[in-house]
Every structure is written in structure tokens, then in C-alpha cells.
Amino acid sequence: MYSLTKSADIFNSPGWLQISLICLLLAWAALPDAHGNRPEVVRAHAIAMHGEPRYAAGFAHFDYVNPDAPKGGEIRQGARGTFDSFNPWIDKGTPVSPGSIETLMTQSRDEAFTMYCLLCEEIEYPEDRSWITFYLHPDARWHDNVPITPEDVVWSFDTLMEKGVPSYRFYYADVMEVVKVGERAVQFRFRNAGNRELPLIVGDMPILPRHYWEQEGRDFARTTLDPPLGSGPYRIRDFDAGRYYALERVENYWGRHLGVHQGLDNFDIMRVDFFRDRIPIRLALKAGEIDYYHENTAKSWATEFDIPAVDSGWLVKETVRHSAPEGMQAFVMNLRRDKFQDIRIRQAISMAFDFNWTNQKIFYDQYTRSESFFSNSELASSGIPGGAELRVLDAYRDQLPPELFERPFEVPETDGSGWSRENLLEALDLIRQTDWTLDDGRLIDPDGRPMTIEFLMYSSSFERLILPYVANLKRLGIDMSVRIVDTGQYINRLRSFDFDMIVGGWGQSETPGNEQREFWSCAAAERAGSRNTSGICHPVIDDLVRRLIVAKDREELITLTRALDRVLLWQHFVVPNWHLPADRILWWNRFDRPDIPLRNGVNLSRWWVDEARAERLSEARENGLTQTPQGDADSPGRPTGWKLVLLGMLLTAGFILMRNALGARRNPGEG
């Protein structure tokens, strides 16, 4: 009786009435309003940064592949350097990827930024993108046939955040938690709504096998030459540490039936041999010991491949144009050094570089000077800011140099003679405005210390470009020395920011976002191993990056990126280098690929071995490569370069001759 009486008293109390009203209000708020509106949750197979995905659910294959490409054969490539680990997810050693680790989603190559399910079968997310749920594919398996589970995803995130390279902790900082929400479902919950890119970023997170790494004797935080378990279409077949490794295609790969994999990953074996520098790689290519090479040296491209194999077409030399952003390659100053604190000193150092002479005398006029951190794209700033970009920058006017609003940013120009007198005089004028002074041909700070710069490199290939720059800096009283160290030492010094200047760079995508914090933010500048190699730290840059990340549409993203680009340029913390919107490749004529070009250049995953060509090449090698291959020698069915021009001229001449002949037959009395 007592308990029943107490229960009745509770139901009749004013407090209970208040609680009931609150519950009713909460329930009402969760229902649709009079117009049926409620926060919409999207369930789909893909997610685009802006707009809608190009490919519908259940699509058969990407448009840029050959879904009937034959499987088989081998491709051999060369790489410079060495390796001592198959664990690329930690900040130790000199690793290479084992080629077997997959992600929840994969990106298409003919859209700006759209991700499609790979390890997942479907995704779910609200309009504000404050969380995303991945429903794992029921067929997804590790190579040991153990199913991939939500527990693997949660463990991967926790482990990468705790033990992975520091960039993971920065990249995924806005992920509040990752939790299992179903038998095959895992949810990423974000600290803030509105970050449109974050769901795509977590979809690109590597998923690692928990049961493998938790075995006794394994330590994720250490380097390893024990090829780790994965789930992808390839795995390590064999290797010799520091010399080569070979990947083999997994015959029973779980995802071989997926649309995102059709026409891709066609080679049975992919082998990479390591060399000390590029000279032996080129020799190995000419000797036929490797099949494919991406040349990045203008002089070598112009002079080192005038050989019979190229002339006959057995070794294809091809320039593949693309429209991908080139980003910025530059001589990077470490702003953590006191000597670079004055922006006028940085600008003077930049003015001493004579690109025009370098391009003419060393690069055979192949390159374009970079004037943007987003070169070769619509994201690059130009001219004087106006319109929406000016409205963005106006809010920061008192924190930015007046010149940014008054004139376009321009890199120094010269006549290419090698004597950039006007630029050097202007650089000296800038130096005189600082507290540095010239004393007996040396630039001295107020404490009497000379301006010395160590330029750190791991390869001698850039030395010929730096030495003329050293001579020009000498005229300004700056003593620059070049130091070449081995790859391992270079990586360690780079991680700890132990350098004055380096050749550095920031690659860019068509949809910049969260990675910009890793490139430019004050937080990244303070964290060892970050991509903010320059140490740039500026409140305007931080705020523009924050706004860029949450841009609501493509138009706003472009405006904010151009504004960010302009602010970065006017900080003068890099000496812009050059770019070429193309891939310069050489490959033995035993492969084929789809005719459809890719906006981001060459992608070997869609190539395949053409057995007929491979057989003809093998026979030709036995005969000393004296005969010409059947078909066009420049590329499979695609004449390029001077042969394309010649073909056009011949067709034009033929058309004119045919037209004149027909005209003469119709009017025999003319002429």
C-alpha cells in the first residue's frame, strides 16, 4: 500500500506535471512542422563536396576506364632513395606503402571531389554534415578472410590518433568520437557542423586490421619489414629492403566485382626498384630493366633520350597534358629562424633568383614561373582584388600590406642575361630599410652576426640550379652554402624543422579544405612533422582557412581560396619556382590505356599489358630494336608532339590538293 500511495502522490504532484510538459515539448520539437520540414538525413552510395555525385548508385564502372581491360603481366618502375619499413602511418623510418590498405571510400578522377563507397556499402549523413555513418559492405574481408568490422574502423581511428604521424591528430581534430552503431555500422561524430569536407576526409582514412596488430609481438608504433595484413587488390609478394619490393594482385580480392574497381588494377605484378639518384634510373629504363619512368628534369627530357629506341617508337616519349592544380614548388624559408623575420629581407632574398636565366640556360624554356599557391587552376588569384574577394579581404585590411590592395602580385622578371642588376638594386634598397647593414661586402645584423643561409638538400640534382642563385645572393652580402645529406637524415631534419632553406612544395587539389590548416596554420607551425615547413603563422591566414573549410558552395570556396592565395603570396616566405601542366613520361611500347584523358594526368592503375605489343617488343629486342612497331610509335593510337603537327599538315595539304583537283574537273577552262 505504501508504494502504491507514493506512486499516486508523484503523478498528482506539480513537479510531475512540469516534467510531463517538458517531455511533450521535446517530442513535439522532434516531429515535422506544419510544412513537413525536419533536418533531412541523406542515405547514399557517394558524397560530393559540392553538388551531386556524377555516378548513380549501382554504376558499372567509371567512364575513364576500360572495363574490359585484360588482367595480367608486370610493370616495373624505378624510384630514387631507399626504404626500411612497410609502416607509412607512423613518424619513423623511411617507409613505403604495402599497397594493401583500403579506405572506407574512394575518389573518382573525373570530378572535383566526390567519394564513392569502397569498404562501405552505403553512407548516411545530415544536411549540416555534423556526423556520418558508414554501413560496411557485407563482403569486405581482410586477406586472411576475416570480415572487416566496425571495431576495425574504431580501432584504426583511435590508433592513428594516438600513435600515427602527427598530421592525423591535426587532420581529424574535429572528429569528436567514432562509435559502433550497428552490426555493420560505424559513425563519425564531429565537434562542429558545417565542415562540408570532413565526411569525405574520414572516408579516406586508412582502415587497419585490429586482430592483426593486436597479436603478441606486434607494435604499431614501430617500423616493420613484416608486410602488414591488408584488404586491397594488391599485397607484398617479395622484397629486398632498400633495393626493391614487388606487389602481386590478389586473385580472390573481395572487391573485384565493385564498380569502383572495374578496369583498374590490371597488372599481376607491380615492381619498384630503388636507385641512389635519377641517373641510374634513366640507364635502367634505356636498358629495358624498368618499363615506365616519369621524368621531372627538363635537361634530361631535352637531351638524354635522343636514342634509337625512342626514334623507332619502341620506347615511347610522351607529354601528357592535364588541368590539375600545380600548387607551389619553391625555395622555402624557415620563418622559425630569426634571420627571416623581417619581410623585407625575405623579399630581397626572393628578388635575387633569376628564373628567366635558369629557364633559358638550364630548362630549355620548358617551364612557366609559378605566381600562385594554386597554379594552373581557377583557384589562383590574379590582378587586383575586386568583387567578392575584395569584400572578404576588406575585413582584414589593417592586418595586411597596403600593396596587396593596390597592385597585382608579380614575381621579379629579368632579361635572362644572368645579370639581374635592377632586381639586385631593388633588393639592396629593401635591405637598407631594415636594421641589417652591409659591412665589407657582408650583410650584418645589429649584433654583428653575418647573414648565412644553409640550403639543405638530399640530392645533387638541384645543385646546378642553386649555385647561380648563391652567386646573386653573394652580391647582396648573403653567404649561402649548399649541404647535401642522405635521405634519412634529410627526413629527420625536415620533421624537426632543422633547416634554413629547402626545396619544398604544397600540392593542391581542385577542392582545398582541411589540409590547408596543416599547411599554413599557427598550430601546425608549432608541431614537429607538420606540413607547415615554412613556419608561417598569421591570424588572417588562420581565419581564411577556417572560413574556407566551411564554405557553403563552390563559388564561396573559390573566392576564399583566391583571398588566401593572395595573402600567402604577399608574405614573401617562399621563392616561387616553376611548373609544367603536364606529365613527361617514357614507357616501353607494351602497354595500352583508355583514350579518355584524365584531368589530373597519368594514372597507371587504368593501364594494362597489351600482349600483342609485348610479343612484338620481345621479338624486336632479339633483333636489336631495328624494326619499327606496328601502329603509331608515339602512343597507342594517339599521335603526339611533332608527329601530330606533321599529320595535321599532311591532311591539310591533301584536302587542298583534292579540292583543287575537283575544281579543275568542274571548270576545265580555268587556269
Side-chain angles (χ1 to χ4, degrees):
M1 286 295 296
Y2 176 78
S3 60
L4 290 174
T5 303
K6 294 295 288 183
S7 297
D9 289 343
I10 292 172
F11 278 100
N12 292 324
S13 67
W16 174 256
L17 181 61
Q18 292 172 353
I19 294 172
S20 300
L21 287 172
I22 291 171
C23 290
L24 286 171
L25 287 170
L26 291 173
W28 176 81
L31 293 173
D33 63 19
H35 301 285
N37 296 324
R38 67 164 61 181
E40 183 179 353
V41 173
V42 178
R43 185 137 179 173
H45 66 295
I47 180 172
M49 180 67 175
H50 298 109
E52 297 297 324
R54 174 174 179 169
Y55 298 95
F59 69 96
H61 59 83
F62 292 126
D63 291 343
Y64 52 82
V65 305
N66 173 11
D68 301 317
K71 306 289 186 182
E74 178 181 12
I75 186 168
R76 302 163 300 170
Q77 300 179 68
R80 184 179 61 181
T82 185
F83 72 95
D84 58 14
S85 175
F86 289 121
N87 186 349
W89 309 288
I90 62 172
D91 198 19
K92 296 178 182 177
T94 307
V96 294
S97 171
S100 59
I101 301 301
E102 294 186 296
T103 53
L104 291 164
M105 308 188 81
T106 186
Q107 186 175 354
S108 65
R109 302 300 174 186
D110 54 357
E111 299 172 85
F113 192 13
T114 302
M115 300 288 285
Y116 292 84
C117 270
L118 175 54
L119 287 176
C120 64
E121 186 176 36
E122 281 189 306
I123 57 173
E124 195 173 62
Y125 60 92
E127 283 185 322
D128 65 2
R129 303 196 180 190
S130 56
W131 53 265
I132 184 169
T133 299
F134 297 92
Y135 295 90
L136 298 181
H137 200 290
D139 297 337
R141 295 287 189 277
W142 301 107
H143 290 157
D144 61 1
N145 207 36
V146 173
I148 298 174
T149 66
E151 287 83 359
D152 288 317
V153 179
V154 174
W155 184 88
S156 298
F157 175 81
D158 292 342
T159 302
L160 291 171
M161 292 292 280
E162 178 186 354
K163 301 178 180 179
V165 294
S167 58
Y168 285 125
R169 292 187 284 279
F170 200 71
Y171 216 44
Y172 302 135
D174 286 343
V175 179
M176 185 168 58
E177 60 179 340
V178 182
V179 294
K180 177 181 177 180
V181 293
E183 183 182 356
R184 292 188 292 107
V186 60
Q187 187 174 89
F188 288 72
R189 298 169 182 170
F190 308 137
R191 300 186 190 282
N192 302 295
N195 187 332
R196 297 188 60 82
E197 189 184 33
L198 195 51
L200 288 80
I201 288 175
V202 298
D204 198 38
M205 185 185 79
I207 305 303
L208 307 165
R210 175 183 177 181
H211 70 285
Y212 170 86
W213 285 105
E214 288 188 340
Q215 291 176 6
E216 185 177 353
R218 300 199 189 281
D219 184 357
F220 184 81
R222 300 179 61 181
T223 62
T224 180
L225 282 170
D226 186 7
L229 179 69
S231 63
Y234 287 95
R235 61 186 167 203
I236 299 290
R237 184 187 69 170
D238 56 86
F239 68 93
D240 187 349
R243 296 185 61 190
Y244 83 92
Y245 70 91
L247 302 176
E248 64 178 355
R249 189 162 56 84
V250 179
E251 287 296 333
N252 60 345
Y253 166 55
W254 77 268
R256 60 189 180 277
H257 62 287
L258 299 177
V260 295
H261 272 301
Q262 300 310 299
L264 299 171
D265 308 314
N266 301 312
F267 301 113
D268 279 348
I269 303 294
M270 296 194 298
R271 176 178 169 126
V272 180
D273 288 281
F274 286 77
F275 301 83
R276 184 174 180 83
D277 56 46
R278 291 186 175 273
I279 294 175
I281 299 179
R282 298 182 187 107
L283 293 175
L285 175 75
K286 296 173 185 178
E289 295 176 5
I290 62 174
D291 301 307
Y292 173 92
Y293 176 58
H294 184 187
E295 180 58 74
N296 70 346
T297 303
K299 180 181 179 182
S300 298
W301 183 255
T303 64
E304 293 194 25
F305 298 104
D306 186 14
I307 58 176
V310 171
D311 293 338
S312 64
W314 290 112
L315 180 59
V316 180
K317 182 184 179 187
E318 185 179 10
T319 300
V320 180
R321 296 281 169 178
H322 63 71
S323 57
E326 283 293 319
M328 172 68 81
Q329 177 183 293
F331 303 149
V332 181
M333 297 174 233
N334 186 356
L335 303 189
R336 301 169 187 88
R337 302 286 204 247
D338 290 340
K339 66 187 77 176
F340 299 124
Q341 287 302 301
D342 194 309
I343 193 172
R344 293 163 296 188
I345 292 293
R346 302 199 298 267
Q347 190 174 358
I349 290 172
S350 181
M351 297 192 72
F353 178 58
D354 190 342
F355 167 76
N356 300 76
W357 181 90
T358 303
N359 199 31
Q360 291 178 24
K361 304 301 181 182
I362 299 179
F363 292 154
Y364 295 80
D365 280 326
Q366 293 184 40
Y367 290 116
T368 299
R369 185 80 186 271
S370 297
E371 295 188 90
S372 168
F373 284 86
F374 302 87
S375 300
N376 195 46
S377 78
E378 63 179 348
L379 303 167
S381 62
S382 62
I384 298 173
E389 186 188 349
L390 179 59
R391 289 192 292 273
V392 167
L393 292 169
D394 257 335
Y396 311 105
R397 187 178 284 266
D398 60 344
Q399 302 176 70
L400 297 172
E403 297 85 357
L404 182 149
F405 298 92
E406 297 167 358
R407 65 174 189 265
F409 178 87
E410 295 177 341
V411 292
E413 288 287 335
T414 69
D415 60 7
S417 66
W419 172 230
S420 52
R421 184 174 182 274
E422 296 301 322
N423 287 348
L424 293 176
L425 288 174
E426 189 174 343
L428 286 171
D429 286 340
L430 287 167
I431 291 172
R432 292 189 184 101
Q433 298 171 27
T434 72
D435 55 5
W436 290 78
T437 57
L438 274 171
D439 182 11
D440 195 23
R442 296 191 307 165
L443 194 60
I444 305 296
D445 73 4
D447 296 324
R449 294 172 299 191
M451 167 69 83
T452 60
I453 300 174
E454 181 184 81
F455 201 110
L456 186 68
M457 295 187 289
Y458 65 91
S459 170
S460 59
S461 61
F462 254 85
E463 194 170 14
R464 65 196 178 99
L465 308 175
I466 299 298
L467 292 179
Y469 185 36
V470 169
N472 279 347
L473 287 171
K474 190 74 173 177
R475 296 185 173 107
L476 299 178
I478 299 172
D479 182 16
M480 176 186 279
S481 60
V482 177
R483 183 171 185 185
I484 301 173
V485 298
D486 62 68
T487 305
Q489 184 179 351
Y490 182 86
I491 291 173
N492 288 331
R493 289 187 62 175
L494 189 63
R495 286 170 178 164
S496 60
F497 306 127
D498 181 18
F499 63 87
D500 290 340
M501 289 183 70
I502 57 169
V503 178
W506 296 270
Q508 298 289 357
S509 72
E510 294 178 271
T511 310
N514 288 264
E515 77 286 346
Q516 303 302 310
R517 289 189 298 191
E518 177 74 358
F519 293 168
W520 321 119
S521 73
C522 294
E526 297 173 357
R527 194 184 69 254
S530 81
R531 292 291 309 280
N532 190 344
T533 50
S534 68
I536 187 71
C537 175
H538 196 289
V540 174
I541 293 174
D542 270 15
D543 201 48
L544 286 173
V545 168
R546 178 191 60 79
R547 294 175 61 183
L548 183 153
I549 289 171
V550 297
K552 64 181 183 297
D553 53 37
R554 180 73 183 173
E555 182 179 357
E556 183 180 9
L557 177 76
I558 292 173
T559 297
L560 289 166
T561 304
R562 289 175 178 173
L564 172 64
D565 183 37
R566 200 179 298 274
V567 175
L568 290 169
L569 290 168
W570 281 97
Q571 290 300 304
H572 295 289
F573 62 93
V574 299
V575 182
N577 283 180
W578 47 85
H579 66 273
L580 175 71
D583 294 322
R584 293 175 299 207
I585 61 174
L586 296 109
W587 47 279
W588 284 97
N589 201 344
R590 53 189 296 268
F591 304 105
D592 203 353
R593 68 174 189 263
D595 290 327
I596 299 173
L598 289 179
R599 59 203 293 161
N600 57 352
V602 176
N603 186 338
L604 286 177
S605 65
R606 66 184 191 140
W607 289 37
W608 65 88
V609 173
D610 185 307
E611 291 295 340
R613 288 182 183 172
E615 185 176 345
R616 290 197 296 269
L617 177 60
S618 180
E619 293 174 356
R621 280 176 171 156
E622 293 178 1
N623 298 321
L625 299 175
T626 54
Q627 56 187 131
T628 301
Q630 298 178 15
D632 190 274
D634 278 332
S635 63
R638 295 177 296 274
T640 59
W642 67 269
K643 294 188 178 181
L644 181 61
V645 175
L646 179 59
L647 178 60
M649 294 173 63
L650 290 173
L651 290 173
T652 302
F655 172 77
I656 293 172
L657 290 172
M658 182 179 294
R659 184 188 62 185
N660 291 343
L662 289 173
R665 292 178 63 183
R666 285 194 297 265
N667 303 287
E670 294 180 5

